């Protein structure tokens, strides 16, 4: 059975992808850690749209997680028609004060699992001559971000990796999109322990813009309006050192000492 595999489908943007694609009649495989939330979403979408919704509760930051997803897919005899690599998190603060294990988990989730799942399902999509891989990057991936340093670097990876794959695979019928949301109304900011930006948009709007970009066969899409378009173009207009110094002053946590000795907790 062909499914849309969505990571991080228990809340926010991933949950909105599940809602939108179920409404199109697509069967789903939803993955996140929160089994209760996944089960509630699966039950509702099956009842509302009549689609099959599989769920897998898994920590995708743990080593070997992508292999566990693949084992489940094989056991259930599923075919992954669309892969939406959405699960991710950030952490606000100076790197010198952040917990190294949390940063490692961020890299594992935002980069390693995303890359491994992409490599797992891309070859079969090429053989079938169709498929969609939608990787969730961020406007943070277009330039360095002091106090979100590791997060922004992970999203730069996602953006670069996905755009290269777009070019490699479009002749094979496989669409690859780097989705680059600006601030979006989800639990992201609570998890990252950072203030909520004023110009956030609903997650449903991000998903609508993303699905339109898939239909347009685009390599990337920046969602959420003109402010985000300005931000992603700053690196074109400003030399790198003034740019990163400006961002440091804008994002410096209120309690930060001059040496960056700050922790958001
Ligand atoms: N919100 C924004 O402003 C914004 C802007 C740009 C990019 N993004 C990106 O959008 C994506 C979705 O985030 P969101 O905004 O929708 O935030 P969210 O509401 O916090 O959703 C994050 C999702 O990822 C899952 N997740 C987190 N850690 C996980 C782990 N170790 N293993 C498995 N699943 C895990 C969470 O589920 P569980 O907790 O149940 O595991 C949840 O379903 C992320 O990649 C984020 O970086 C967000």
């Amino acid at each position: 059975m062909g499914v849309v595999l969505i990571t991080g489908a228990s809340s926010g943007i991933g949950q909105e992808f599940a809602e939108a694609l179920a409404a199109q009649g697509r069967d789903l495989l939803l993955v996140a850690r929160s089994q209760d939330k996944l089960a509630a979403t699966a039950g509702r979408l099956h009842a509302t749209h009549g689609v099959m919704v599989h769920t897998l509760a898994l920590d995708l930051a743990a080593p070997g997680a992508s292999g566990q997803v693949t084992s489940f897919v094989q056991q259930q005899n599923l075919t992954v028609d669309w892969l939406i690599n959405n699960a991710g998190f950030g952490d606000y603060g100076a790197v010198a004060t952040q917990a190294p294990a949390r940063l490692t988990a961020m890299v594992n989730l935002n980069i390693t699992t995303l890359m491994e799942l992409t490599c797992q399902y891309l070859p079969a999509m090429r053989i079938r001559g169709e498929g969609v891989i939608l990787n969730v990057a961020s406007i943070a991936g277009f330039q360095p971000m002091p106090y979100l340093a590791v997060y922004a670097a992970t999203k730069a990876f996602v953006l670069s990796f996905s755009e290269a794959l777009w070019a490699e695979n479009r002749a094979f019928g496989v669409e690859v999109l780097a989705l680059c949301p600006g601030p979006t109304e989800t639990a992201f900011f609570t998890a990252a322990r950072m203030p909520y930006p004023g110009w956030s948009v609903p997650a449903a709007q991000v998903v609508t813009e993303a699905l339109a970009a898939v239909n347009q066969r685009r390599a990337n899409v920046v969602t959420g309006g003109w402010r985000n378009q300005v931000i992603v173009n700053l690196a074109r207009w400003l030399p790198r050192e003034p740019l990163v110094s400006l961002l440091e002053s804008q994002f410096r946590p209120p309690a930060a000492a001059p040496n960056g000795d700050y922790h958001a907790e």
Side-chain angles (χ1 to χ4, degrees):
M1 176 196 299
V3 295
V4 180
L5 194 174
I6 307 174
T7 68
S10 63
S11 76
I13 295 169
Q15 188 170 28
E16 288 297 338
F17 270 118
E19 302 276 351
L21 292 165
Q24 293 180 6
R26 292 184 182 275
D27 296 326
L28 306 173
L29 168 55
L30 309 180
V31 187
R33 291 168 301 182
S34 307
Q35 174 58 41
D36 50 346
K37 291 184 190 170
L38 293 178
T41 300
R44 191 179 70 257
L45 295 180
H46 178 66
T48 308
H49 302 293
V51 295
M52 286 292 294
V53 186
H54 303 262
T55 64
L56 175 62
L58 193 61
D59 180 358
L60 291 168
S66 66
Q68 289 181 258
V69 175
T70 298
S71 298
F72 182 85
V73 166
Q74 289 170 348
Q75 282 162 13
Q76 301 293 319
N77 206 18
L78 304 177
T79 302
V80 175
D81 291 336
W82 283 43
L83 169 63
I84 301 183
N85 277 307
N86 164 78
F89 74 93
D91 191 44
Y92 182 51
V95 168
T97 67
Q98 288 176 309
R102 187 161 159 85
L103 299 179
T104 299
M106 193 188 302
V107 170
N108 289 348
L109 179 64
N110 297 10
I111 295 181
T112 307
T113 298
L114 176 146
M115 183 196 69
E116 289 179 355
L117 288 174
T118 300
C119 295
Q120 181 60 45
Y121 297 109
L122 176 60
M125 289 180 184
R126 278 169 62 125
I127 290 168
R128 291 197 299 273
E130 61 183 8
V132 172
I133 298 178
L134 196 161
N135 291 334
V136 182
S138 168
I139 62 167
F142 285 81
Q143 65 289 301
M145 295 282 293
Y147 307 108
L148 283 170
V150 174
Y151 176 71
T154 68
K155 294 305 184 177
F157 175 95
V158 176
L159 177 59
S160 173
F161 177 60
S162 305
E163 288 185 320
L165 291 188
W166 172 83
E168 285 183 13
N169 292 288
R170 55 199 308 247
F172 294 85
V174 180
E175 299 302 323
V176 182
L177 177 73
L179 167 59
C180 304
T184 307
E185 293 162 8
T186 70
F188 174 87
F189 296 97
T190 306
R193 299 175 288 193
M194 70 181 289
Y196 205 67
W199 70 95
S200 305
V201 300
Q205 179 182 330
V206 170
V207 167
T208 299
E209 292 186 49
L211 295 178
V214 170
N215 284 337
Q216 293 160 3
R217 309 191 68 190
R218 294 181 56 183
N220 78 65
V221 61
V222 174
T223 61
W226 67 268
R227 281 189 188 82
N228 300 331
Q229 299 293 340
V230 171
I231 290 168
V232 301
N233 283 294
L234 285 176
R236 294 186 187 183
W237 301 325
L238 289 174
R240 293 183 75 80
E241 288 171 6
L243 171 63
V244 77
S245 298
L246 172 70
L247 292 171
E248 192 280 331
S249 67
Q250 295 300 306
F251 281 88
R252 189 183 306 149
N259 66 355
D261 184 13
Y262 171 87
H263 201 285
E265 276 185 326

